[in-house]
Amino acid sequence: MTAPTASTPRLLDPHLAAEVLQAARAGGADFSELFVEDTVNTTLRLHQGEVKDAGGGNLFGAGLRLLYGTRVVYAYTNDVTANGLRTLADSVARAQSGQGEVSRDGVGGLDFRTVDVQPLYVAREHPLTVQRREKLALMRRAHGAAAGVGDVKTVDVTYLDRVQRVLIANSDGLWAEDERVWTRLVVSAIAQDGTFRENGHYGPGAGQGLEFFETVTPESVGAEAARIANAMLRADYAPAGKLPVVIGNEFGGVIFHEACGHSLETTGVEKNASVFADKMGQRIAHESVTAIDDGTIAGSWGMVNVDDEGMPSQRTVLIDRGVLTSFIVDKVGALKTGHARTGSGRRQNYTFAPASRMRSTFIDNGTQTPDELIRGVKHGLYARKMGGGSVTPGTGDYNFAVNEAYMIRDGELAEPIKGASLVGNGAQDLKNIVGVADDLSLGQGMCGSISGSIPTDVGQPHVLISEITVGGRA
């Protein structure tokens, strides 16, 4: 990510922004906020080494939010001319008051204070300066590392980048500008032997430019997808029942993210629709568990210089050695719950109002090694790579597929198994974690919620849960 320089054209004239913000409050609003966005994205796809899609686009528009106490009125437009924004301000001002006309008396006198946005990471190979042929060359390297490996018959490669310039200005006088950069490479490899067919998937990304692929090479991404597909191709089906489970690091953190993390966002807490709503300061997890939501990890997929409400990012300890210490809090969440904001107001784009959302959310390192966790299990499951699943909001009940799994017998890894799923409850799992390893790693995903789909990291070291229901064949 980079912060706009003095030579970067402003997305909006401050005088016009002040006029719009003041006019929007003519219906009696306590607060007004303007979010202006200019986003350029690229999506490239290869199938069997051939280009199947080479697209992208530009999104340019503005959203205007009003607060009447804790009541939110939000509207947006792709007409960012002076007349377009004035019309938007009039429409939101009338939404609450029902007035046919609104007054602009006294508008335009707002004095802004500029937030000094300090970039946590500066892209060295900015996506907008790299030619498409160079991006395709990276993709072909990934394809070459997966195609024909073992029983791999089909390889799909997707490259994505996104550059988002934003302006956040509000009636309190805040003025913040930022640029966000993301890149990602996703490989799907299908291994096949007669009627047996298995898919391996791997998709790392970062809040960086294309220099990211110097550290995480395209070859390593393709090879990992092929490895998973081949490992699972001739696996037996998983047994069903309650078992101790060692869950792998990196994307293994998706269970905590989905089954616990969302319940710590004030969008649920403020409605008392979270199992953790009344648990602040109480023990909700095993003492080995410390969980963090961090927007300050330089170059990470979930990095945030400032959130979409203009607040600088921070590292938020959610659970400290088993005790709940913080929620994930945006402006409205703070007003409704009384908890301090955490720099977590995020949105997909200008068509969404911001809401409390995760950034890089993970269980922190423990003191054991992965091998020690496995050696402590006589008969259980090793869920090395997690897949997708579903969660019941509020309760944290979940069902997640396991993309790569192995049986554990007498403290050692045994045969690979397929078709496994983990069925449980996030709040209960926190209490049933009995071992946390020291190999924290983050995995990347797109998280969907009330304010759209946003890039977030999930993560954890290897963890041992004393008992989870494993779905498989009885």
Side-chain angles (χ1 to χ4, degrees), residues 168-454:
I168 305 106
N170 67 36
S171 57
D172 290 339
L174 178 142
W175 180 281
E177 296 177 84
D178 192 22
E179 180 180 272
R180 295 92 177 256
V181 175
W182 296 276
T183 58
R184 191 179 190 188
L185 188 65
V186 182
V187 177
S188 176
I190 297 176
Q192 188 168 356
D193 182 13
T195 59
F196 295 102
R197 179 184 174 95
E198 288 295 329
N199 178 66
H201 175 94
Y202 192 49
Q208 303 179 26
L210 278 79
E211 69 276 4
F212 171 62
F213 301 112
E214 297 171 8
T215 304
V216 179
T217 66
E219 289 83 0
S220 69
V221 180
E224 179 65 359
R227 185 197 64 76
I228 297 169
N230 282 310
M232 293 293 100
L233 183 59
R234 296 174 184 86
D236 291 329
Y237 283 97
K242 293 182 181 294
L243 293 171
V245 177
V246 176
I247 301 176
N249 64 355
E250 196 176 12
F251 203 71
V254 70
I255 293 181
F256 177 79
H257 171 100
E258 294 288 356
C260 300
H262 281 297
S263 294
L264 296 173
E265 294 168 338
T266 48
T267 48
V269 173
E270 68 198 29
K271 302 169 187 172
N272 206 31
S274 164
V275 294
F276 303 120
D278 60 350
K279 299 294 192 295
M280 183 59 66
Q282 298 181 32
R283 182 170 298 282
I284 63 169
H286 188 273
E287 63 183 10
S288 64
V289 176
T290 292
I292 296 165
D293 181 62
D294 193 349
T296 69
I297 302 173
S300 67
W301 183 248
M303 178 183 71
V304 179
N305 289 325
V306 292
D307 72 359
D308 291 330
E309 298 177 320
M311 181 175 178
S313 192
Q314 63 174 237
R315 182 179 188 269
T316 306
V317 178
L318 304 172
I319 302 170
D320 186 8
R321 291 168 291 184
V323 176
L324 179 61
T325 55
S326 180
F327 292 122
I328 298 167
V329 191
D330 64 327
K331 182 178 179 66
V332 172
L335 292 172
K336 290 184 175 182
T337 67
H339 293 289
R341 292 168 63 188
T342 56
S344 307
R346 303 185 68 192
R347 63 183 106 195
Q348 177 177 329
N349 56 47
Y350 74 89
T351 67
F352 294 87
S356 57
R357 303 293 298 275
M358 286 174 275
R359 299 160 298 184
S360 294
T361 311
F362 54 90
I363 295 174
D364 205 5
N365 273 322
T367 59
Q368 297 175 273
T369 67
D371 287 344
E372 286 172 341
L373 297 185
I374 292 169
R375 284 199 299 268
V377 177
K378 183 170 181 60
H379 178 72
L381 178 77
Y382 174 36
R384 180 170 178 175
K385 297 286 185 182
M386 294 302 302
S390 61
V391 177
T392 302
T395 68
D397 291 334
Y398 67 81
N399 187 323
F400 276 91
V402 184
N403 286 350
E404 182 185 1
Y406 301 84
M407 292 302 298
I408 303 173
R409 301 185 190 281
D410 296 322
E412 295 185 354
L413 292 184
E415 73 274 15
I417 56 172
K418 63 184 177 183
S421 62
L422 301 183
V423 181
N425 175 271
Q428 188 59 50
D429 283 354
L430 286 175
K431 298 174 182 176
N432 290 346
I433 291 175
V434 293
V436 180
D438 57 0
D439 61 336
L440 170 65
S441 183
L442 301 178
Q444 291 69 52
M446 297 299 295
C447 174
S449 187
I450 190 171
S451 61
S453 179
I454 60 172

